[in-house]
Amino acid sequence: MTLTLDMSPTLINRTAVFNICNDIARIFADVDPWLYYFGVTVKQAPVAAEADTLKGILFQALSMAGEGRFDESRLNFGNVLRPSRKDGERRFFIDPLYILFSDLYPTDIVTVLDVSTVTQPEWHSPAVVALYAKAFEKLCQVQPKVVTISDNTAYTFYANYGFPLDRMRTVHLYSPGHLRDGLGVPPLHAVKPYFLFVGSLEARKNILGAMHAFRCSGLHERGYQLLVVGGRGHGAPEITQLAENTPGVTLYGYASNEDLCSIYAGATGFLYPSYLEGFGVPLLEAMMYGVPSIASTTGACPEVGGPHVAYCDPDDHEGMAEAMLHIAAMDPQARAALATNMRGWVNDRFSFEAFAANIRDAVLG
């Protein structure tokens, strides 16, 4: 069998998916896979100039697809955008979006991260909704093997599309290596104690709810702040406006991996009231750093946090406020005991080694 890994997401994505793609390439390095970068199939990542060219072609294709101005054959410019299959080739797509620009066989593997573009399209731009609708339709027609990153995503995909459960397998994500390596770094030196949110400024992350809960808690009057770390996404203008009018809220923006380690290490508590997460890597990261956490009852958060996280309905601002007050009042012994339990949970269930073994079995088995 010849394995090809679709690395196209790395051309335009610098968030969790970027790191996952590169980790997967390392996991399968021993089978000498081909790497597909939306236009070329190579053994090594393209240099910067080549990557920029491919990125431009990819954005053009995504624009055409989102506007409904293309059929797949128009993207087949010789061998530029759709290289011919090798004998016995199996392709592994880490984001279903990119099956739109490739042929797809039942022997291929496609990762489904979440189904929010279908269940809550208002959280996304119309172009993104249209693209994933086409991708999921193609996925259901061909029925390759599907890997989901949580049971919640698997059952949601089944409920909306009737995709055969025996063609799906859950492979949970893992605590990122760059943050595991940062354990023990000095905490962020902040003038005030802070509660933390990490994630892009998107409507579905419910950062508006986090800010309402923080205001309701009265913690600002007691010297606390709410630190929101992440880049801009769909819904950022409304989030920015409310932050400017909510005392104690700071929009930090994007943080490097090194800075993020210090930010987690210094947090009093972690607030993650997202309406829907396909997995919820930031929650896992906070637990790894021993930060008492509050998450929503919806999506995959309970699957990730287990019994060691406080859960609230994402619209229950008063409940979130009470949970924040409880965390702020925790004594050092209680915090240390909870941190030990959270780290044990993460290491037992969401290690990189477990992910590597499970994804290899799903792809090569």
Side-chain angles (χ1 to χ4, degrees), residues 3-23:
L3 179 64
T4 297
L5 305 177
D6 179 33
M7 301 293 287
S8 302
T10 62
L11 295 172
I12 61 174
N13 191 306
R14 287 295 182 269
T15 59
V17 173
F18 177 86
N19 295 319
I20 292 168
C21 286
N22 287 318
D23 284 342

Side-chain angles (χ1 to χ4, degrees), residues 132-194:
Y132 277 96
K134 292 177 184 293
F136 288 143
E137 180 181 357
K138 184 173 181 177
L139 194 62
C140 291
Q141 289 174 347
V142 179
Q143 294 194 2
K145 291 199 293 185
V146 165
V147 170
T148 62
I149 58 175
S150 67
D151 290 336
N152 180 269
T153 296
Y155 291 131
T156 304
F157 192 53
Y158 170 75
N160 282 274
Y161 285 99
F163 195 89
L165 289 173
D166 62 1
R167 297 291 292 167
M168 287 193 282
R169 174 173 175 173
T170 295
V171 177
H172 288 125
L173 295 180
Y174 52 93
S175 52
H178 58 274
L179 290 178
R180 291 196 307 271
D181 295 341
L183 290 171
V185 301
L188 176 70
H189 179 69
V191 176
K192 299 179 180 180
Y194 58 92

